[in-house]
Amino acid sequence: MTRRGRVLAWTGGVLGVLLLGTAGVGAWVYQHLDGNIHGVDIGVDGARPVNLSPGSKNILVVGSDSRAGANAKYGRNLTTMQSDTLMVLHIAADRKWATALSFPRDSWVQIPACTRGNGSKSSPHHFKINEAFSIGGDSGDIRKAAACTIKTVEKNTGLRIDHFTSVDFQGFKGMVNALGGIEVCPKHAIHDKKAHLDMDAGCQNVRDEKALGYVRTRYSVGDGSDLGRIGRQQEFMKALGAKAQSKLTSPGELYDFLNSATKSLTTDNALAGIKPLYDLAATVKDIPTDRLTFLTVPNYYREADVPTDKANVVWQYPQAGRLFSDLAHDREIGAAGKQKLAEAAKNPVTAHAVRVRVLNGTGVPGRAASAADQLRGLGFTVVGTGNAPATDKTTVSYPAALKTQSEVLSSRLPGIKATESAGAAPGAVTLTIGPDFPAEMP
């Protein structure tokens, strides 16, 4: 149950909904809990990825760090909504496997134009992925926060998002309290003012603010990265799921748990209710534990590409691109695929290590220089620009020795496949710009 518990817990308390289905509680309880769940109509504008695997489901899960109401103590001068955790749960069309993919909140990605709370549009730019939730939610409107986050994930992954669910701080704390707390075993003492946390080393039961602080703490543990926090959150949810299954045997305990979970839950309208969440849980509850895969998008510190940036990570290509493609086409990654990603992470080919020659095949002056500026901004090493014969399509070519480097570049250009060329300039990958070259590279 360990892995299954994590999936169910992170899909917005679905574990509790399953327990509700077996506890035989009264209809009035069902109606009350059903009414707790907040459904919203999320309208995502603009072009969206094609659904390449009808029948599969991609559910975007956000841990909401809103600073409104009871959450105000966790940050000053923050008038917009925040997202603390971001993941996509992919459920296969045949319902025989699933993958939970976490996105580090410090991922440096392209944020597309989004509608703000006042109706104005933001400009496309690069920043941390969790900013998308803040842009759309700058006036506290979770519909727009969700829409901007969905647009951002779709833009950078090519995955079509089918559903959205968000759980906020206070609901999480209530679920933990209903279980009497969760045991954690930090190896070192933790003192984190931002997370309002002071903990001694060693195993201990945490609840209330201490439980919340433990899953939020970052800067005072390990290397201070969001990657370590993701691991702690996954382990905490594993323990929460296991304890919920073993402890929630009385109607009172069960009600408290479910009441906290559903009160803090916001979903798209299609998931808004006990029945649709129960149906969702029913699709994953029989998946074997060895076919539930937990992954974090392959990444490395952006400092390797941009020495002045010591705060963010960038996704590791071509591995990230292949991972997104596999999920989009409903191909299982599994244990073997996870191991390959772990091996590749030991020696990533950074963007800075890719030398690129940019040629303009559009006939429009300045296109090569503009593309070169984009590439430099992403950390690539541009060794020169020039003109090429007119072409209808953007191409990437490479000498035999630079196949991997060419894949790093082409994976940032959706639909472009690199080709080996005996005539390619030695020591560099050649990017020839066509009319289809994107105005902004992800």
Side-chain angles (χ1 to χ4, degrees):
M1 175 59 192
T2 55
R3 295 184 183 179
R4 190 175 301 148
R6 278 185 284 178
V7 169
L8 297 177
W10 269 122
T11 51
V14 173
L15 173 61
V17 177
L18 278 176
L19 294 172
L20 174 65
T22 60
V25 297
W28 71 271
V29 174
Y30 177 99
Q31 293 172 353
H32 174 75
L33 296 175
D34 193 67
N36 278 348
I37 301 170
H38 183 209
V40 293
D41 182 16
I42 303 171
V44 182
D45 59 1
R48 302 186 64 187
V50 175
N51 184 354
L52 299 176
S53 57
S56 68
K57 297 291 183 184
N58 288 318
I59 303 166
L60 183 65
V61 183
V62 173
S64 173
D65 187 2
S66 169
R67 303 304 164 86
N71 290 337
K73 72 180 80 172
Y74 298 109
R76 296 180 178 178
N77 302 318
L78 291 173
T79 59
T80 184
M81 305 180 79
Q82 310 287 312
S83 64
D84 205 49
T85 302
L86 184 64
M87 66 176 284
V88 168
L89 176 65
H90 177 89
I91 302 174
D94 63 8
R95 304 302 189 256
K96 293 182 179 179
W97 61 273
T99 294
L101 180 64
S102 293
F103 299 86
R105 61 177 286 176
D106 293 338
S107 297
W108 188 263
V109 300
Q110 183 185 2
I111 310 292
C114 291
T115 302
R116 296 189 179 96
N118 62 7
S120 66
K121 281 276 190 180
S122 64
S123 299
H125 62 284
H126 282 81
F127 205 73
K128 299 176 189 286
I129 195 169
N130 69 325
E131 190 199 36
F133 202 73
S134 302
I135 292 174
D138 62 352
S139 64
D141 188 341
I142 196 168
R143 295 174 303 164
K144 293 176 181 176
C148 190
T149 304
I150 290 171
K151 285 184 70 173
T152 299
V153 171
E154 289 186 342
K155 173 69 177 178
N156 289 275
T157 68
L159 295 172
R160 175 71 178 234
I161 301 301
D162 301 293
H163 295 293
F164 170 87
T165 182
S166 172
V167 182
D168 82 355
F169 276 170
Q170 297 305 313
F172 169 82
K173 188 170 63 175
M175 286 187 281
V176 172
N177 289 348
L179 297 175
I182 299 294
E183 184 178 65
V184 297
C185 300
K187 294 180 180 179
H188 305 284
I190 305 173
H191 304 288
D192 187 339
K193 290 183 179 180
K194 289 187 177 181
H196 296 263
L197 181 65
D198 283 293
M199 290 181 67
D200 295 327
C203 294
Q204 54 202 285
N205 192 70
V206 295
R207 54 184 297 161
D208 292 315
E209 301 300 326
K210 188 166 283 190
L212 195 54
Y214 182 77
V215 296
R216 292 190 66 243
T217 188
R218 167 181 178 179
Y219 298 105
S220 301
V221 183
D223 63 1
S225 75
D226 192 48
L227 306 180
R229 174 163 57 181
I230 287 174
R232 286 189 297 277
Q233 288 175 345
Q234 290 180 344
E235 288 305 311
F236 194 96
M237 296 312 295
K238 170 185 173 181
L240 185 147
K243 190 168 185 179
Q245 190 184 42
S246 65
K247 182 176 174 61
L248 294 180
T249 56
S250 75
E253 290 174 333
L254 178 60
Y255 176 79
D256 288 344
F257 179 84
L258 290 172
N259 196 40
S260 294
T262 53
K263 273 185 178 180
S264 66
L265 189 63
T266 299
T267 73
D268 61 277
N269 281 337
L271 277 185
I274 296 294
K275 185 180 185 304
L277 287 173
Y278 181 93
D279 291 343
L280 171 64
T283 68
V284 299
K285 69 183 180 66
D286 293 325
I287 294 175
T289 57
D290 63 352
R291 298 190 72 182
L292 288 172
T293 304
F294 292 83
L295 297 170
T296 299
V297 177
N299 63 85
Y300 59 88
Y301 290 106
R302 188 169 180 254
E303 184 179 7
D305 293 334
V306 182
T308 56
D309 186 351
K310 302 182 186 301
N312 300 300
V313 299
V314 290
W315 295 345
Q316 179 186 351
Y317 289 95
Q319 289 78 15
R322 291 170 182 163
L323 174 58
F324 302 146
S325 179
D326 283 342
L327 293 180
H329 290 87
D330 205 28
R331 295 190 291 257
E332 186 174 7
I333 291 91
K338 185 174 182 178
Q339 182 60 35
K340 285 182 65 176
L341 289 172
E343 289 297 320
K346 296 177 182 178
N347 294 291
V349 177
T350 67
H352 185 70
V354 180
R355 294 163 57 84
V356 186
R357 184 169 65 115
V358 185
L359 302 180
N360 183 2
T362 67
V364 179
R367 291 299 303 275
S370 175
D373 286 342
Q374 281 199 56
L375 292 171
R376 292 188 188 98
L378 294 173
F380 289 94
T381 300
V382 178
V383 298
T385 60
N387 293 315
T391 180
D392 292 332
K393 292 188 176 296
T394 299
T395 61
V396 173
S397 59
Y398 62 93
L402 298 180
K403 180 179 180 181
T404 300
Q405 287 83 347
S406 73
E407 291 176 340
V408 172
L409 175 60
S410 62
S411 60
R412 307 297 290 265
L413 298 165
I416 305 297
K417 184 176 181 179
T419 57
E420 183 179 340
S421 172
V429 176
T430 299
L431 171 65
T432 303
I433 304 298
D436 57 339
F437 185 78
E440 286 284 339
M441 291 178 64

